[in-house]
Every structure is written in C-alpha cells, then in structure tokens.
Amino acid sequence: MKLSLLVYTLLFTGGLLQAEDKEENWKIYSGKAGPSGWRCNTIHPDPKDHGPDGINVHDWDGDGNHDLFVNYEEGKYSRLYFNPGPGKTRKTWDRYVEFTHGQCEDSGIGDLDNDGDLDYIANGGWVYFNPGQKKATNASSWKKMILFNHERRVPTVTDVDGDGLNDLIVGAQEWYQQPKTGKHMAHNWKKHIIGKNRWPMNCIMRDLDGDGDMDMVVPDRGKEICWYVNPGRDKVHNIWQRKTLHRHHEPMFMTIGDVNGDKIEDFIITGGSLGKLARKLIVLLRTNKIGEPTFKEIIIDQPSGNFPKGVAVTDLDGDPTKKEIVVIPKGGDLWTATHSGDPMEPTNWKATPIIMPGSETRKKMDNAWLGDLDDDGDLDIITTDENGGWGVIWFENPATSQ
C-alpha cells in the first residue's frame, strides 16, 4: 500500500510539475521578439493538453477584427475566440464561447444554410449553424446538427453540384448535398461518394485541368498526393477518377499558390518525417494551365525545426513579383523558402529560419493559417501547439509595427 501511494504521489507531482513547466514556457517567452522582429503571442494556453488542433479565421461578431474558431481534439470541444481589438491582441483572449462534441482533429467553415453567415463544422459530423453577428457571442443561439457521430477529416464547404447551394465534403471522399428546405435537419442531407482516402491532410478545391469545374487535391498521408477529376455537373454524384499528382507517400500539409509570379498556381508540400523526402519541402512549379498538371520539382532542405508540417504562401517582403513560403515545423523555429533569379533552378532557392525565443518548447504545431490579427495591414501566421502547453498561438508579422 505504501509503495502504491509513493508511485501515485510521484506520478501526480510529476504531472503537476510538467503542467507547471508548460505554463511557464508560454509565460516566459510569449510576446518576446526574435532577431528579425517576429514574436509568438499566446491567444489561449493549453496546460492540460486538451489539444487545440485547427484554426478557422473570420469576423464572427462584425466588429471588423478577425476572430478564431478553434477545435480541441482531446478536449472534445471547440471555442470561438473573439478578437479583443488592436492594441490588445498580444495578451490572452479571454472572451470566447464553447461548443461540445466528440473527438475532433480538424474543422471547417462555410455557409451551409444559405443565410449569408459562415457556419462551423467540427471534424465533419457536427455542424453548428451561425445565428448571425448579433447573436454569435451566445453559444446557445448556435443550432447544432449531427450528420454523423464520428470523426471525418478536413470538412470542406463548396458547391459540388453547381446548384448555387454550398455542400459539405468530408474525409475528402464523400459529400453531403445541401437540401433546398429543412437545412437544419440531418435526414434531409443526402450523402454521395467521391472516392476513398487513407488519411487526408487537406482537401483543396481547384480547377486543375482548366475545364471549368472544381477538382479536388488531397495529400493522402500513407499513400500519395492525388487529385480527383470532377466528372462534370451531370456526373458529380458518381465516383470521381483519382490521379497521382506526386508520389511522396508521407506528406503532411500542402497549399496551392503562385510562388514565382508567372500567374500559374504551384503546389507546395511539406515532406513530414517519413519516406525519401522526409524533412524536405517539395515545391512543384507548374508549367501549364490546362490539362494534366506538369511541373518542375524543387526540393528544399529544412534549415530548422523537427520536421516540416504546416505551410502557407504569403507576401512577407512587399515584392509583388514573388511570394514567400512559410513553413511551420512540428517543433522548433518557423522558416521561409524564397528564390532569387530563375526559380526553375534549384540552387536559386534559399531556406531561412525565423528565430524566436522559446521555439524549442512548442512541441506539436499544426498547419499555418493567415490573418491580420492586430489590424496593422500585414498578414500574421496563426497555428496551435497541441502538446507544449502554448495552445492557440500567432506569429506576429513585423513588417508593420503596431
């Protein structure tokens, strides 16, 4: 009995110390600038490992500032954090409403009842209908609809069938058709199958082949980076043809954007921790606009961090002829990838760390979301730290000082 009590005491106090350490990390380092002026600010810490794991950016209360809808995977809830306004964003955001549901690794937003307001979807099955700006701060005003009571990754809102109503794609493999009436009742939403994926990290809708309809791009972790060919409005209820975009079988997140200024969107994929392209950034510079995508492959070594995970394309230096790639590793310093001269030449690409205090204490960061949180005219980078105690965080762009 004494031994059991001792073990319990050690485990309990060890857990307390770990929680205290996590709390101290964000308190010590949050808001402190690195050599280039970038700093990591804490919106809401997570000392109990409830696991924030996804961000949605929008002004829900209509005050002109970007708010954040965040899902907590292990906590089984989501929170809508309301931006406190310019001059206050570096401090923790204490005003939020909370919604409970099952375990939720990611989420999405979009208008699913055709009323002009953006609704919230927690991991595919749990839909919360927005009551409008005046009531958004009241959690009980959001109407919940359960399409299915389990996880289904990367919920994506888009008009699949071209009828003018947004539909819901879940798991990058099936979609639910928005009904013309009774939109808040789950039995009115009809399910259709697109294909099958193992573990989709993204679901990105783009007209890849230039035929006028939206195809679907998916980094399918454990398989490949693929795209599904939209068969046309009359056949969208059928299975879509799956094609390989790139054969790296362990991708993390990806994004699509024009990084070299040729007005053709490129594919940017983080290599993750496994496979031949582990710890690499894969940049596919597209060379055609119509038909099967063709591209020049550029492979970039990571300069910092655990392994590349999240990614975004944005303008950091004000040069309109090109954009920068921002990479969020699982842990460690963020970094950027840029080119000078001919972007088709791999040696013209350079990767540079964005050094900030306390980067080693952020243990499991996620994808990169963009938004001007401090309303200073430049885009900041927003993410979550699921296991390091930092919780919901944003990296403040120093291009314009507050």
Side-chain angles (χ1 to χ4, degrees):
M1 180 67 71
K2 290 183 179 180
L3 181 60
S4 298
L5 179 60
L6 175 62
V7 172
Y8 174 81
T9 302
L10 289 173
L11 289 173
F12 180 73
T13 55
L16 284 179
L17 288 173
Q18 185 181 25
E20 288 174 359
D21 288 344
K22 288 182 177 181
E23 182 179 13
E24 289 303 314
N25 284 332
W26 76 266
K27 283 187 175 181
I28 292 171
Y29 300 112
S30 184
K32 293 188 176 180
S36 62
W38 283 86
R39 68 187 78 211
C40 181
N41 299 308
T42 304
I43 290 169
H44 208 278
D46 181 43
K48 295 183 179 180
D49 279 341
H50 286 182
D53 198 19
I55 298 282
N56 300 275
V57 185
H58 179 63
D59 176 15
W60 270 277
D61 58 1
D63 65 355
N65 300 311
H66 284 136
D67 309 308
L68 304 178
F69 224 137
V70 184
N71 56 277
Y72 286 73
E73 182 178 0
E74 286 78 22
K76 298 182 180 179
Y77 60 82
S78 294
R79 285 178 177 172
L80 172 51
Y81 290 97
F82 295 100
N83 192 319
K88 300 177 182 178
T89 49
R90 286 181 183 171
K91 298 179 181 179
T92 57
W93 299 14
D94 297 323
R95 192 166 64 102
Y96 61 85
V97 291
E98 187 172 293
F99 306 84
T100 59
H101 43 66
Q103 185 163 322
C104 175
E105 191 167 7
D106 52 21
S107 54
I109 58 175
D111 184 4
L112 286 176
D113 55 5
N114 204 37
D115 66 354
D117 297 314
L118 294 189
D119 307 306
Y120 175 72
I121 310 98
N123 211 195
W126 306 289
V127 179
Y128 294 83
F129 291 102
N130 188 342
Q133 293 178 350
K134 293 182 179 180
K135 297 182 179 180
T137 57
N138 183 356
S140 63
S141 296
W142 291 71
K143 184 176 179 61
K144 183 178 181 180
M145 178 181 72
I146 302 176
L147 274 179
F148 46 86
N149 208 18
H150 59 267
E151 286 192 285
R152 184 67 88 200
R153 287 182 55 82
V154 290
T156 304
V157 177
T158 185
D159 182 5
V160 177
D161 54 4
D163 65 352
L165 301 175
N166 282 325
D167 308 301
L168 176 63
I169 299 176
V170 297
Q173 61 186 20
E174 58 199 39
W175 65 283
Y176 287 79
Q177 185 175 7
Q178 183 180 149
K180 297 189 183 304
T181 60
K183 300 175 189 294
H184 295 179
M185 294 180 285
H187 65 266
N188 291 330
W189 289 72
K190 186 177 180 180
K191 183 174 75 171
H192 308 278
I193 304 299
I194 291 176
K196 187 176 182 180
N197 292 293
R198 180 183 179 275
W199 195 256
M201 298 298 294
N202 297 88
C203 176
I204 304 174
M205 305 305 294
R206 284 293 193 281
D207 181 9
L208 285 199
D209 50 14
D211 64 355
D213 51 35
M214 289 292 177
D215 308 301
M216 187 171 69
V217 186
V218 183
D220 189 7
R221 189 172 167 188
K223 291 288 187 179
E224 61 178 357
I225 298 96
C226 66
W227 64 290
Y228 287 85
V229 184
N230 190 320
R233 183 172 179 176
D234 295 337
K235 298 180 181 179
V236 290
H237 302 95
N238 302 334
I239 299 294
W240 297 19
Q241 182 183 6
R242 174 171 172 150
K243 294 187 176 182
T244 298
L245 181 66
H246 193 278
R247 294 194 179 279
H248 179 49
H249 63 274
E250 286 293 343
M252 293 302 288
F253 295 104
M254 71 173 291
T255 191
I256 299 177
D258 179 10
V259 297
N260 58 351
D262 64 357
K263 298 183 180 180
I264 303 175
E265 288 196 314
D266 310 300
F267 309 97
I268 306 95
I269 306 150
T270 53
S273 62
L274 300 173
K276 293 182 179 179
L277 293 176
R279 295 171 176 81
K280 309 287 186 182
L281 180 68
I282 307 161
V283 181
L284 308 179
L285 297 174
R286 187 167 180 179
T287 55
N288 67 337
K289 287 186 177 182
I290 298 175
E292 296 272 346
T294 59
F295 48 80
K296 167 72 174 181
E297 181 188 68
I298 306 291
I299 305 297
I300 301 171
D301 292 326
Q302 64 176 20
S304 61
N306 187 330
F307 60 81
K309 190 176 180 184
V311 63
V313 172
T314 187
D315 182 9
L316 296 180
D317 61 5
D319 182 354
T321 64
K322 63 178 181 179
K323 293 189 176 181
E324 288 72 48
I325 301 169
V326 179
V327 176
I328 296 182
K330 178 183 178 183
D333 285 311
L334 277 63
W335 52 279
T336 62
T338 56
H339 65 86
S340 59
D342 183 4
M344 294 294 178
E345 178 54 53
T347 56
N348 287 340
W349 285 83
K350 179 182 179 181
T352 306
I354 305 177
I355 299 172
M356 280 174 272
S359 62
E360 71 283 355
T361 69
R362 296 185 279 273
K363 300 300 183 181
K364 190 181 179 184
M365 292 186 286
D366 201 60
N367 204 1
W369 289 268
L370 301 174
D372 184 6
L373 292 192
D374 49 7
D375 196 30
D376 65 353
D378 53 38
L379 288 177
D380 307 299
I381 301 165
I382 315 158
T383 193
T384 55
D385 175 28
E386 188 177 350
N387 295 136
W390 284 73
V392 186
I393 55 179
W394 64 289
F395 298 95
E396 183 180 344
N397 190 334
T400 305
S401 58
Q402 195 171 11

